[in-house]
Amino acid sequence: MQNYFVLLTKVGQARLSEVIAAGEQLNMSHIKLGDGGEDEGKETDPKETDTQLKRDRAEVPINEAFQHASNGNWIVFQAIIPDEIGGFYITELGLYDDQDNLIAIGKYPKTYKSKLPDGIATSMTLDVICQVGN
C-alpha cells in the first residue's frame, strides 16, 4: 500500500452513487486540513468508515477541479492555503461536498504550514488527486 493516499469514505461512495443514479453532479466545496490530533502532527490511518478528521485545523475552498493532463482517470482538486492560515502541521485532509459531507479522506505527508509569527508566511497550493474507476 502507498504511504500517502486519498480514499472515498462510505458516505462519499453513497453520495457518488446517488448523484450518478440521478444524473446529477457531485458538487465539491472545500478541503479541511488536520494535524492528526496532536500539535506536533501525528500520522493517521484513514478508513472508509471515517466521518471526520482527527482534528480540523483549517478549511479552504476548492478553487478548481480538473482532469489530470496525463491520466484521464485522475481528477485534481486544487485549493490555495493563504499565508494567514498556518502555525500547524498538516498530516490529514478531507474533501467535502456542498452539503458538508466528508466525501474523501487522505493521509498527507507531515508538512508544517507556517504563518507570519513563525518568521515567514507563504501561500501553499494543494493538489489532491483522486482516481476515478470502478
Side-chain angles (χ1 to χ4, degrees):
M1 181 172 208
Q2 296 176 341
N3 290 333
Y4 303 103
F5 56 90
V6 175
L7 55 89
L8 281 175
T9 62
K10 291 289 186 184
V11 170
Q13 293 169 26
R15 286 286 300 133
L16 192 56
S17 294
E18 289 170 12
V19 298
I20 289 171
E24 299 173 353
Q25 221 176 280
L26 184 58
N27 297 314
M28 300 303 290
S29 172
H30 57 281
I31 297 174
K32 289 184 182 178
L33 307 169
D35 63 7
E38 292 184 7
D39 291 342
E40 295 302 315
K42 179 181 179 185
E43 284 200 348
T44 61
D45 186 25
K47 295 179 179 38
E48 293 177 341
T49 54
D50 288 341
T51 57
Q52 62 187 20
L53 299 181
K54 300 294 181 206
R55 180 168 63 174
D56 296 356
R57 295 302 303 257
E59 178 180 315
V60 294
I62 294 171
N63 68 319
E64 190 174 5
F66 55 91
Q67 188 174 25
H68 194 276
S70 64
N71 186 328
N73 291 329
W74 291 352
I75 303 295
V76 180
F77 296 96
Q78 188 176 81
I80 306 294
I81 307 167
D83 56 359
E84 66 269 10
I85 293 178
F88 58 88
Y89 285 91
I90 302 168
T91 61
E92 58 181 339
L93 60 86
L95 281 91
Y96 290 78
D97 68 4
D98 58 358
Q99 297 175 16
D100 207 31
N101 293 302
L102 177 60
I103 302 300
I105 190 164
K107 180 177 182 178
Y108 194 79
K110 184 176 176 179
T111 303
Y112 187 73
K113 174 60 176 82
S114 62
K115 64 180 183 177
L116 201 50
D118 296 322
I120 190 169
T122 59
S123 299
M124 180 177 164
T125 301
L126 181 65
D127 289 342
V128 180
I129 301 172
C130 297
Q131 182 164 323
V132 179
N134 79 20

